[in-house]
């Protein structure tokens, strides 16, 4: 799914159509891979696709050969730098944000508004996708799972209802 215009990092993966496409593939027992090219949101008209164009196929081929069959699907982000400046390809967890990055802003229609992400949230964890991609020019690969159940909560709450 993709290549998406703009990065899908951190909790933003929960509202990403690109990541949803990869998740849907996994629901059908097909290897799901979401690809996104990072961009400068202050200059959204100038997306540099060179990194994903030059390196994307090799990463997809490696995942196809090595991922195996499971409930996993993959979120891949390419940094906003020339391919020669990529530092590494890393497997990382997605970044949790301390609050929602969504903001309201007014519409030209009376009593209406938009909800959007107007700026990239601040990073919280050095080893997570956000810092590796945006600060270190690394290609990030985050394996995600279809199973989202909090089994510890089931155990903790069992018998209380």
């Amino acid at each position: 799914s993709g290549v998406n215009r703009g990065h899908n990092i951190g909790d933003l993966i929960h509202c990403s159509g690109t990541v949803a496409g990869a998740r849907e593939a996994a629901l059908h027992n097909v290897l799901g891979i979401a690809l996104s090219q990072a961009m400068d949101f202050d200059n959204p008209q100038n997306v540099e696709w060179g990194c994903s164009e030059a390196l994307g196929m090799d990463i997809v081929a490696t995942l196809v050969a090595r991922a195996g069959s499971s409930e996993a699907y993959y979120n891949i982000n390419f940094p906003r730098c020339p391919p020669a400046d990529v530092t590494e390809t890393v497997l990382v967890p997605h970044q949790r944000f301390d609050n929602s990055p969504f903001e309201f802003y007014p519409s030209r229609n009376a009593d209406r508004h938009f909800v959007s992400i107007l700026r990239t949230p601040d990073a919280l964890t050095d080893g997570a996708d956000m810092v590796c991609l945006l600060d270190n020019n690394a290609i990030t690969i985050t394996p995600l799972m279809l199973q989202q159940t909090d089994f510890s909560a089931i155990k903790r709450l069992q018998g209380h209802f």
Side-chain angles (χ1 to χ4, degrees):
S1 181
V3 174
N4 183 65
R5 181 176 176 256
H7 37 281
N8 280 308
I9 54 176
D11 285 337
L12 305 180
I13 64 170
H14 299 297
C15 60
S16 165
T18 306
V19 176
R23 183 174 51 246
E24 187 66 25
L27 286 167
H28 294 279
N29 203 28
V30 174
L31 178 61
I33 302 171
L35 301 148
S36 298
Q37 176 60 60
M39 60 182 269
D40 180 357
F41 285 97
D42 291 331
N43 190 6
Q45 302 307 316
N46 189 21
V47 179
E48 297 181 25
W49 298 96
C51 194
S52 54
E53 287 174 346
L55 305 171
M57 286 303 297
D58 287 342
I59 291 173
V60 168
T62 299
L63 281 175
V64 168
R66 304 262 181 207
S69 62
S70 70
E71 289 195 347
Y73 55 104
Y74 298 86
N75 182 40
I76 301 170
N77 285 283
F78 296 92
R80 55 183 184 220
C81 65
D85 292 343
V86 171
T87 58
E88 61 184 331
T89 300
V90 292
L91 292 157
V92 293
H94 88 275
Q95 174 68 65
R96 291 300 326 274
F97 299 141
D98 53 353
N99 55 39
S100 174
F102 290 94
E103 299 176 41
F104 294 93
Y105 64 98
S107 165
R108 286 182 276 175
N109 299 318
D111 299 324
R112 302 281 188 244
H113 63 272
F114 293 101
V115 178
S116 186
I117 301 162
L118 301 176
R119 62 176 183 82
T120 300
D122 296 329
L124 301 174
T125 306
D126 283 343
D129 59 0
M130 190 172 180
V131 171
C132 293
L133 176 74
L134 299 179
D135 293 345
N136 300 340
N137 285 345
I139 296 170
T140 61
I141 303 174
T142 303
L144 302 165
M145 296 293 293
L146 291 175
Q147 177 54 266
Q148 298 183 68
T149 305
D150 183 345
F151 289 102
S152 65
I154 290 174
K155 193 175 209 178
R156 184 177 61 255
L157 297 171
Q158 197 70 40
H160 292 281
F161 299 98

